[in-house]
Amino acid sequence: MEIFAHRGASGNFPENTIAAFKEAARLPVFGVEFDVHMAADGELVVIHDESIDRTSDGTGYVKDMSIADLKKHDFGSWFSPGFQGETIPTLSEVLDVFDSTNHKLNIELKSDIFPYEGMVEKVLDLIETRRMESRVIISSFDHAAIQFVKQLNPHIETAALFMEVLVHPLDYLHKIPANALHILFPAAIRPSMAEVIKSGMPIRTFTVNDETYAKTLKQTGIQAIFTDYPEKMNSLLSSNKN
Ligand code: G3P
Ligand code: MG
C-alpha cells in the first residue's frame, strides 16, 4: 500500500512547513500531501486552515494578507519551541524541496470555503512551467475546482475528496470527472467502495495513523493512505506479511 506524508511529516514536525516537507523528502515513501490557499496578492501558499490562527503566532485570514505580511509570522513555535522561525511556505518553495526526489505530490486545493478566484489557473501554470505534470495529483473537496483542472489540462491526475459514506460513487466520479477517490477512513471501508476498487480507480484514505486500521485498509484493496507518521507507517506496512 502506498504511503503519503500528510501535510508533510506532520506528526513530528509542524504541519505544512519546510521542516515537515524536508523530512518527508528524506523518507522512502510514495508521496506527500499538502494544502494550498491564495493570499491577498495572489501568492499561492501552503497551509491547512483558512486562517493563520491555529498554526502561527498571528491571526487573520490568508485571503486578507499579502505574502509579505504572512511571512512575518512564526509557523513553528506553536508546535514546539525548536521549530521557531519556520515561515509559511509558498507552493513554489514546497515544490523546490521535492524537485530532485521521486515523490508523488498531492496538491489539495482548499477552495471549498473561500473560492480563491484564479487559483486553479495559477497552480496549473506553476506545475506546467516546472514540467511536473506527471508528478502531481490535484485533489479538492471543491469538486468544481478539479472539474476545471481537467478542462484546462486533461493530462493532470485529479481526485475528489469526500468525508461521507457514498452511494454509487462511480456514477458521480465519472460525471465530474475525477481519476481517483480520496476519502475519510470510516467511509472508506463501507460496501459502496467495492465498485470503485473493482473498476481499478484508486482509493486513497485519510488520515490513518493507526496500524490496525492501516492493515484493514490494505486488505480491503485501498491503494494508499495519508498519514501524519510516514516513517512509522512505512516500516509497519512494508513487510509482505502485513
Ligand atoms: O487530502 C487528504 C486530507 O488532507 C483531506 O483533509 O482536512 O486534512 O486537508 P484535510
Ligand atoms: Mg489536506
Side-chain angles (χ1 to χ4, degrees):
M1 188 160 60
E2 295 162 358
I3 291 172
F4 284 75
H6 182 240
R7 309 180 193 174
S10 61
N12 295 316
F13 295 78
E15 64 181 57
N16 285 327
T17 61
I18 294 298
F21 294 125
K22 282 188 174 165
E23 173 64 8
R26 184 187 73 76
L27 298 174
V29 292
F30 186 78
V32 61
E33 185 264 3
F34 44 87
D35 309 293
V36 175
H37 290 259
M38 199 164 83
D41 53 3
E43 185 68 68
L44 300 168
V45 289
V46 175
I47 178 172
H48 179 270
D49 300 355
E50 282 66 34
S51 84
I52 66 169
D53 300 22
R54 181 178 61 87
T55 56
S56 83
D57 60 357
T59 57
Y61 287 105
V62 171
K63 71 175 179 59
D64 297 330
M65 303 168 84
S66 67
I67 185 63
D69 288 337
L70 288 164
K71 282 283 188 188
K72 288 177 189 151
H73 292 286
D74 177 5
F75 283 75
S77 298
W78 71 276
F79 186 83
S80 162
F83 293 107
Q84 186 182 8
E86 285 294 326
T87 60
I88 190 170
T90 64
L91 176 56
S92 199
E93 287 166 347
V94 174
L95 296 180
D96 285 344
V97 173
F98 295 97
D99 212 28
S100 56
T101 76
N102 293 316
H103 296 81
K104 199 81 169 177
L105 308 175
N106 179 195
I107 300 175
E108 183 186 342
L109 305 179
K110 285 287 189 192
S111 52
D112 45 310
I113 296 186
F114 300 123
Y116 298 127
E117 196 67 41
M119 182 164 84
V120 168
E121 295 93 322
K122 279 175 183 281
V123 169
L124 291 188
D125 269 359
L126 191 58
I127 291 163
E128 287 161 3
T129 303
R130 299 178 72 122
R131 306 240 189 285
M132 291 178 118
E133 292 98 322
S134 63
R135 289 191 59 195
V136 302
I137 303 163
I138 298 189
S139 65
S140 190
F141 289 105
D142 173 4
H143 301 167
I146 58 165
Q147 185 175 57
F148 192 34
V149 168
K150 269 285 176 234
Q151 286 164 2
L152 294 180
N153 189 335
H155 305 295
I156 289 190
E157 183 176 353
T158 58
L161 273 158
F162 296 90
M163 308 272 239
E164 309 83 4
V165 174
L166 302 176
V167 175
H168 299 310
L170 268 185
D171 292 347
Y172 181 70
L173 289 159
H174 286 151
K175 191 111 185 159
I176 299 174
N179 299 112
L181 169 58
H182 291 187
I183 189 159
L184 189 67
F185 165 66
I189 51 171
R190 299 308 167 98
S192 63
M193 292 296 103
E195 65 175 63
V196 183
I197 293 168
K198 199 169 161 210
S199 78
M201 181 183 284
I203 302 178
R204 306 185 182 99
T205 302
F206 59 93
T207 302
V208 184
N209 295 328
D210 178 278
E211 179 183 356
T212 306
Y213 292 163
K215 287 178 181 168
T216 300
L217 289 163
K218 187 175 179 180
Q219 282 157 10
T220 309
I222 299 300
Q223 182 165 316
I225 56 167
F226 300 94
T227 180
D228 300 328
Y229 297 94
E231 186 164 32
K232 179 186 85 173
M233 281 300 180
N234 193 44
S235 57
L236 288 172
L237 296 174
S238 53
S239 152
N240 285 334
K241 283 182 289 184
N242 291 326

